[in-house]
Amino acid sequence: MIIPRRRLIQAGGLALLAGSTSGPVWSQSLGAYPFTLGVASGDPAPDGFVIWTRLATKPLELGGGMPSRTVPVGWEVAEDEGFTRIVATGKAPARPELGHSVHVEVEGLKAGARYWYRFSAAGETSRVGTVRTTPAAGARADRLRIGVAGCQHYEAGLFTAYKHLSQEPDLDAIFHYGDYIYEGGGGKGCPVSKEAADKARICFREHAGGEIYSLDDYRRRYAQYKTDPDLQAAHAAAAFLSSYDDHEVDNNWAGDDDQDATPREVFRLRRAAAMQAWYENMPVRRSSFPVAGAVRMHRRIDWGDLLRVQVLDTRQFRSGQICGAKALDRCLPLGSTPRPTILGEAQAAWLEQGLSGSQRWNLLAQQVMVMPFLYPGTRDAGRTNLDSWSGYAASRERLVAAIQARKLTNVVISTGDVHQHHAGVLPSREGAWDSPAVATEFVSTSISSGGDGVAISDEWKSVPADNPHCKLFNARRGYQVFDIGRDLWRTDVKVVDRVTAPGGSLSTVARFAVDRTRPGLEAL
């Protein structure tokens, strides 16, 4: 099947391809291998998916070492890894305006099938990636496996967990909950030495350059992360459901505000650059193309009658930062009136409209913890993380009410952010943690952020007793795997023993089961 020319418009998100993929320019050498950042796929549908690459011959140089012109890129999709049965092919422009990234929305394929894809440019061929389409709308599906990962500070440790995740059998997708990059300057995220008396930071790899602000800065930071071979392996292994959290822009940003009280009109410039760079580097659809300094990240993906995934955006539409006792400009005090929102009105209504009894399961794939949680006393306003849904109690109450109104017992929430593995439930009444549960929540730890970590530190020894609705506390690095059946949901909690040195080994520290007919979880 040859994808018609009109569909190739989707490859770059903008503009026609006239003159861009013909003539001698097609064979012009780029001077070096252009696929140094790997390949990726994302957002599968019954008839296709997105495939992505970004050309860079010298990833850490300005412009990635690429010429300041559009470079034609070929792509192929096949039914076999050897590409003897090619079912879709075409050409797409890698434009300098988009950091020489390519987004192809492949269509016309079979539902519920595995495919392989690759790219070519200037006489070079990329590595091969694999991806599955979803079942047809409403079709019966019996099993689905989704990995969960995020918080991958380049300086804090190796991405060893991604190597193991890429080797998980039969993955249908990987939900990335955010913090794909970190915005700080070189050396700030390196682990603190346990031996040095002065608590010195020991770096074995560092960010290139200082804190990032411009589009070129963000592009280079993504390029540095994407050169990691373990991250590339994970992208090549399965479709990513990509989202962002705070560090893709700036720590703890919320709506139009950053944590430093930067004038809003100035912060919006930084956020716009970060949003464009996120789009350029993620395998997302043209519906997420940057417009007026913003992207539409929230979206739905269905796997037949088995699962509806609603990817949420808990950053862009917040009322603002909840700062507790902090004396920063424009911070909203806890419990302020009108009550602040973490999703914004339009997205909250969209979420409620999508909560469905048509699928066997509903997954809310988002960034920050929904269930209430008491920390060891290092958070603002006592022991509450105000950067989570606990700072936006009205939004949490509205979500609980929406689930209850629809009499849903099949809602599971996937979260990241806190560099810890947790598993717990969302209580039905605010402030009453022993009230009946309305949803189950799994919080996945970081890939590398926080260094090696420990199962539970001395500081945290009292935390489990303070959080009876939570059944797991582990601060090692790793990921989670959701194994979803028609009536039983199983979560495997995985950790690696070290990320500050190569060769970290993988183990499973916990397994939980969720019954579709009642929220809650049972240790296996």
Side-chain angles (χ1 to χ4, degrees):
M1 180 187 73
I2 304 298
I3 299 295
R5 178 183 175 84
R6 62 183 177 83
R7 290 187 184 172
L8 295 182
I9 297 173
Q10 299 173 346
L14 288 176
L16 297 173
L17 301 183
S20 65
T21 58
S22 60
V25 71
W26 178 254
S27 59
Q28 285 183 9
S29 171
L30 296 172
Y33 186 67
F35 297 107
T36 58
L37 307 184
V39 301
S41 65
D43 290 4
D47 70 336
F49 34 74
V50 178
I51 56 174
W52 170 97
T53 194
R54 178 182 160 207
L55 305 184
T57 56
K58 299 176 181 178
L60 298 187
E61 288 192 2
L62 182 66
M66 295 294 295
S68 296
R69 61 173 171 83
T70 297
V71 177
V73 176
W75 58 269
E76 296 175 308
V77 176
E79 291 181 326
D80 67 305
E81 192 171 7
F83 285 81
T84 63
R85 300 191 304 276
I86 295 174
V87 294
T89 185
K91 296 177 182 179
R95 301 184 181 278
E97 299 94 330
L98 293 172
H100 288 100
S101 63
V102 174
H103 299 73
V104 180
E105 297 186 20
V106 184
E107 299 176 345
L109 304 180
K110 294 184 292 187
R114 178 179 289 279
Y115 293 92
W116 287 261
Y117 63 93
R118 65 187 178 190
F119 296 90
S120 59
E124 301 281 1
T125 302
S126 74
R127 73 181 297 166
V128 174
T130 186
V131 55
R132 287 175 174 164
T133 55
T134 64
R140 180 184 174 97
D142 293 321
R143 189 187 182 201
L144 177 66
R145 281 174 56 81
I146 297 178
V148 182
C151 286
Q152 52 201 53
H153 201 304
Y154 184 84
E155 297 183 321
L158 300 173
F159 293 171
T160 308
Y162 272 131
K163 176 182 179 180
H164 294 292
L165 180 56
S166 72
Q167 296 168 354
E168 289 282 347
D170 299 322
L171 278 183
D172 293 273
I174 296 171
F175 167 53
H176 193 286
Y177 60 72
D179 292 348
Y180 192 99
I181 61 168
Y182 279 69
E183 79 284 8
K188 290 186 177 180
C190 301
V192 174
S193 171
K194 296 177 181 178
E195 289 77 25
D198 60 354
K199 304 285 187 182
R201 292 187 179 274
I202 306 300
C203 301
F204 52 92
R205 61 181 190 177
E206 293 186 34
H207 283 155
E211 184 153 349
I212 54 179
Y213 293 92
S214 71
L215 179 56
D216 285 333
D217 290 343
Y218 282 101
R219 283 172 171 168
R220 181 167 73 160
R221 186 60 54 83
Y222 275 103
Q224 184 172 25
Y225 279 56
K226 283 181 170 290
T227 57
D228 186 276
D230 294 331
L231 176 57
Q232 289 193 15
H235 272 299
F240 266 52
L241 313 181
S242 301
S243 70
Y244 52 72
D245 194 14
D246 54 339
H247 290 289
E248 284 87 350
V249 182
D250 184 43
N251 182 53
N252 287 353
W253 73 278
D256 290 332
D257 299 318
D258 71 359
Q259 64 178 353
D260 301 315
T262 301
R264 285 174 173 164
E265 65 274 16
V266 176
F267 174 65
R268 289 189 195 109
L269 296 176
R270 181 183 190 181
R271 188 184 66 187
M275 291 288 167
Q276 178 172 338
W278 179 83
Y279 171 81
E280 290 175 355
N281 286 280
M282 294 298 110
V284 292
R285 293 183 178 273
R286 189 173 42 154
S287 56
S288 293
F289 192 87
V291 177
V295 300
R296 181 185 172 99
M297 187 262 278
H298 62 282
R299 59 207 188 273
R300 293 189 191 101
I301 301 171
D302 290 344
W303 268 267
D305 72 342
L306 182 60
L307 178 71
R308 164 161 289 180
V309 180
Q310 300 203 84
V311 182
L312 305 183
D313 182 343
T314 60
R315 287 288 167 190
Q316 194 172 194
F317 306 110
R318 290 194 192 195
S319 304
Q321 288 184 321
I322 309 297
C323 298
K326 287 185 179 179
L328 296 182
D329 292 346
R330 294 189 306 274
C331 280
L332 302 172
L334 188 64
S336 59
T337 303
R339 304 180 75 183
T341 171
I342 198 169
L343 296 179
E345 175 58 36
Q347 186 183 190
W350 169 88
L351 169 61
E352 291 166 0
Q353 187 273 329
L355 284 172
S356 170
S358 300
Q359 277 79 21
R360 307 287 288 185
W361 297 94
N362 284 276
L363 173 60
L364 308 187
Q366 52 97 61
Q367 297 77 40
V368 293
M369 196 180 297
V370 179
M371 63 182 170
F373 199 89
L374 285 181
Y375 287 85
T378 59
R379 301 281 176 163
D380 298 323
R383 300 165 58 193
T384 301
N385 179 5
L386 299 181
D387 191 51
S388 72
W389 287 65
S390 290
Y392 301 82
S395 292
R396 187 162 60 196
E397 291 172 358
R398 179 171 177 174
L399 174 61
V400 168
I403 295 171
Q404 290 177 320
R406 290 158 180 78
K407 296 181 171 56
L408 297 176
T409 59
N410 62 358
V411 177
V412 176
I413 303 168
S414 180
T415 302
D417 179 55
V418 295
H419 311 167
Q420 303 248 358
H421 279 306
H422 297 302
V425 297
L426 176 59
S428 55
R429 294 197 309 276
E430 198 67 28
W433 295 4
D434 59 349
S435 58
V438 297
T440 306
E441 183 168 11
F442 293 105
V443 182
S444 183
T445 192
S446 61
I447 289 289
S448 60
S449 303
D452 291 330
V454 296
I456 187 166
S457 65
D458 290 340
E459 183 187 21
W460 275 67
K461 290 295 175 63
S462 65
V463 173
D466 292 334
N467 295 275
H469 58 301
C470 186
K471 305 301 181 186
L472 175 65
F473 306 84
N474 189 293
R476 290 287 190 186
R477 309 287 72 86
Y479 58 90
Q480 296 181 0
V481 176
F482 299 155
D483 196 328
I484 306 165
R486 293 189 67 78
D487 296 308
L488 192 70
W489 177 302
R490 194 182 80 176
T491 295
D492 290 350
V493 179
K494 312 266 187 156
V495 301
V496 291
D497 62 347
R498 64 185 183 275
V499 297
T500 55
S505 60
L506 184 73
S507 61
T508 300
V509 295
R511 289 188 174 94
F512 295 95
V514 182
D515 188 314
R516 188 179 65 86
T517 63
R518 60 182 183 274
L521 68 165
E522 178 182 351
L524 296 177

